[in-house]
Amino acid sequence: MSPPLVRVTPPFELVFHGPFNKVITEKIYIENIISSNVCFKVKTTAPKRYCVRPNCGIIKPNDVHEVQVMLQKGDLILNDKNKHKFMVQSIAISEDVDQNVEQIFKETEKTNPSLINDEHQGSTTMNESPTADYDIQTLVEKKKEYEVQTLVEKKKEMSRVVSIKTTLHRIKDAGYPSQEAHCRVRNSSSVTSQ
């Protein structure tokens, strides 16, 4: 098996959220992870149920290409709803290639099919309950917000611990015997001795 040329996100499964009485669009991100140009082609086992735009293209090194996969509206056949498959094929090409992608794939299939990398295969899942339409950027933003919130909470907790330790040191320095000192720490970290 040849080494991968692209990274596909999501890597294994594309989830469509209903209701399915309208066209539902999800996104695939294809990233070129090698140092030369790569052409790609997206295939599906159910071409009448999905519209893929663009279904092929050329990606420069370290670049990412967004592909929209549109599930056409219509009744779901329960047996088929989790059986549809997608495959992303890719071929490394030089910068001076001036053919269109379809022609590159046709010629490569005839002359040297082993150059076609088709390891990126995934399935679809259809979730009939309506949910928010999240894309990768939204998920990344939510993760960053969560991480910032967690850091702020940790900083507040550390500040409380330092304040309590400082107050206990002041009590000890004031000459109170440690067995007789009783402290109540309030939200503002004020201390009263009894």
Side-chain angles (χ1 to χ4, degrees):
M1 177 186 286
S2 60
L5 307 175
V6 296
R7 181 180 302 122
V8 179
T9 307
F12 305 111
E13 185 176 48
L14 192 58
V15 180
F16 292 89
H17 301 283
F20 299 106
N21 58 356
K22 61 181 181 174
V23 175
I24 307 294
T25 302
E26 290 297 328
K27 296 175 184 174
I28 297 174
Y29 296 89
I30 305 171
E31 178 185 2
N32 179 350
I33 58 173
I34 64 170
S35 60
S36 65
N37 287 352
V38 169
C39 64
F40 73 90
K41 185 176 186 180
V42 180
K43 291 184 171 183
T44 178
T45 57
K48 292 183 180 179
R49 293 289 290 152
Y50 300 93
C51 179
V52 180
R53 293 291 177 255
N55 65 344
C56 61
I58 296 176
I59 310 172
K60 294 181 179 181
N62 302 313
D63 204 2
V64 178
H65 206 88
E66 178 185 283
V67 175
Q68 294 185 346
V69 179
M70 293 160 269
L71 173 64
Q72 302 303 304
K73 68 179 181 177
D75 294 329
L76 286 178
I77 300 169
L78 293 177
N79 294 339
D80 292 342
K81 75 178 195 173
N82 294 328
K83 292 184 179 179
H84 300 159
K85 305 279 187 227
F86 283 89
M87 178 170 57
V88 177
Q89 294 182 317
S90 56
I91 302 172
I93 59 173
S94 62
E95 290 184 27
D96 58 350
V97 172
D98 59 355
Q99 296 174 312
N100 71 29
V101 174
E102 290 291 339
Q103 189 64 32
I104 294 170
F105 273 96
K106 282 181 185 177
E107 285 185 17
T108 306
E109 285 172 357
K110 288 179 187 175
T111 59
N112 196 353
S114 64
L115 293 177
I116 300 175
N117 186 331
D118 59 357
E119 71 177 67
H120 292 284
Q121 299 181 22
S123 63
T124 60
T125 299
M126 290 154 204
N127 184 348
E128 296 185 27
S129 62
T131 61
D133 183 22
Y134 292 113
D135 60 8
I136 301 247
Q137 185 176 359
T138 304
L139 293 174
V140 169
E141 289 172 3
K142 287 192 176 291
K143 183 180 177 191
K144 285 181 183 175
E145 287 175 10
Y146 174 77
E147 290 172 348
V148 167
Q149 182 180 3
T150 303
L151 287 173
V152 168
E153 289 172 3
K154 285 182 180 178
K155 186 175 179 182
K156 285 180 182 178
E157 186 64 29
M158 293 287 290
S159 175
R160 284 188 208 122
V161 169
V162 168
S163 178
I164 291 169
K165 285 182 179 179
T166 303
T167 303
L168 291 174
H169 284 293
R170 285 183 189 154
I171 291 172
K172 186 177 178 184
D173 292 344
Y176 291 106
S178 59
Q179 294 87 358
E180 298 176 14
H182 299 282
C183 303
R184 282 185 289 171
V185 180
R186 296 185 184 154
N187 289 341
S188 64
S189 298
S190 62
V191 176
T192 59
S193 62
Q194 299 177 344

